[in-house]
Amino acid sequence: MSTPPPATTSRFNEEAASWDSNPFVQAATTMAHKTYLSRLPPPETLSQYNILDLGCGTGLLTFLLAPSVRSVTAVDVSEGMIDVLNTKLNALPPPHNVLGVHALLSDPDDPILSFDPVTGDSFPQRRFDLVVSHLVLHHIPSLPPVFANIFGLLKEGGRVMVTDFEDFGPEARRFHPESKMEGVERHGIKRDEIRRILEEAGFKDVKVETAFEMEKAVETTPGSGETGGDLMTFPFLVCEGTK
């Protein structure tokens, strides 16, 4: 996974404690979860899946998916985010099928991924049925190495499924207030570009489609810090492929 700028990691460490209190983040994660479930196998098959949630944050998507699957390995480069995830996990009665991992992944064979969240056993070169990631891609400097790594993390026949807002032109920049542009590497993802990256990584049956749309309060004047009730509609893409 391409290394995020230090400022990005610092920002998310600082925001981790209050992350779950953001209504837009909560709503967007709920919509992503619904999108994934609508495209995944029926419950009897899905219940056997071992999933990797890449850039999991505080585990909002992780904990929505966990009841439907065998296990979720939740990975984030922000130690603060993983600390919040683990606090929530420890408050739940055992048994657990979630494992929080603080790591920057660059190697599919990284031993930090070898642990089974359900049994605790270690399996070298552990592979996953599905890799998901939500609202992460726009923070990553270079996407081709990320999808090459994801391809290596999947079993044969495994799938990648990621969601992020779409770069639909200059106005997509307004998704973030100017005060939070540090660590934003792109203003959404472009359909043709992400399709090409997935195909070049080796994925087949690639699909890039509009998953849902959301209204978001944006700055009336860039840099003002004031929204004044201004709302913009942002389309979110779901990008998927099969190994």
Side-chain angles (χ1 to χ4, degrees), residues 19-41:
W19 190 253
D20 290 2
S21 65
N22 186 321
F24 183 85
V25 170
Q26 290 275 3
T29 306
T30 298
M31 293 298 292
H33 176 238
K34 290 180 179 179
T35 297
Y36 295 156
L37 286 187
S38 72
R39 293 162 182 266
L40 289 171

Side-chain angles (χ1 to χ4, degrees), residues 10-231:
S10 176
R11 172 192 157 192
F12 286 115
N13 282 337
E14 292 171 1
E15 295 184 1
S18 61
W19 190 253
D20 290 2
S21 65
N22 186 321
F24 183 85
V25 170
Q26 290 275 3
T29 306
T30 298
M31 293 298 292
H33 176 238
K34 290 180 179 179
T35 297
Y36 295 156
L37 286 187
S38 72
R39 293 162 182 266
L40 289 171
E44 58 270 22
T45 301
L46 186 58
S47 65
Q48 302 304 309
Y49 270 35
N50 295 296
I51 292 180
L52 176 67
D53 184 358
L54 191 60
C56 62
T58 62
L60 291 175
L61 179 60
T62 295
F63 288 111
L64 288 174
L65 287 168
S68 301
V69 301
R70 180 184 178 276
S71 75
V72 186
T73 299
V75 179
D76 204 284
V77 70
S78 165
E79 187 173 8
M81 291 286 186
I82 291 296
D83 285 346
V84 173
L85 183 152
N86 283 331
T87 296
K88 292 192 284 189
L89 181 62
N90 292 334
L92 296 175
H96 298 151
N97 68 338
V98 170
L99 176 66
V101 177
H102 171 226
L104 175 65
L105 296 182
S106 58
D107 181 358
D109 297 329
D110 191 325
I112 202 167
L113 296 178
S114 65
F115 297 98
D116 184 334
V118 176
T119 66
D121 295 334
S122 177
F123 298 95
Q125 298 181 318
R126 186 165 170 257
R127 296 296 183 257
F128 298 88
D129 300 287
L130 175 69
V131 174
V132 298
S133 189
H134 174 59
L135 277 175
V136 174
L137 300 185
H138 67 272
H139 289 293
I140 298 175
S142 179
L143 294 178
V146 173
F147 284 98
N149 193 36
I150 290 172
F151 189 84
L153 286 162
L154 287 166
K155 300 175 181 178
E156 288 297 324
R159 296 168 68 185
V160 60
M161 196 172 294
V162 299
T163 40
D164 212 324
F165 71 103
E166 182 177 9
D167 179 354
F168 54 87
E171 286 290 283
R173 178 184 178 91
R174 299 183 70 190
F175 187 89
H176 294 94
E178 292 296 316
S179 63
K180 293 194 175 181
M181 286 298 179
E182 194 169 26
V184 175
E185 298 294 328
R186 59 185 56 78
H187 304 296
I189 53 177
K190 297 181 178 180
R191 290 174 184 259
D192 291 344
E193 180 182 28
I194 201 71
R195 175 183 292 279
R196 173 181 56 78
I197 290 171
L198 279 162
E199 290 174 346
E200 289 179 354
F203 287 100
K204 59 185 180 181
D205 301 325
V206 173
K207 297 178 183 178
V208 180
E209 301 171 338
T210 300
F212 54 91
E213 295 182 340
M214 290 192 65
E215 283 192 334
K216 189 176 193 292
V218 297
E219 289 182 313
T220 305
T221 303
S224 68
E226 299 178 357
T227 63
D230 283 12
L231 296 173

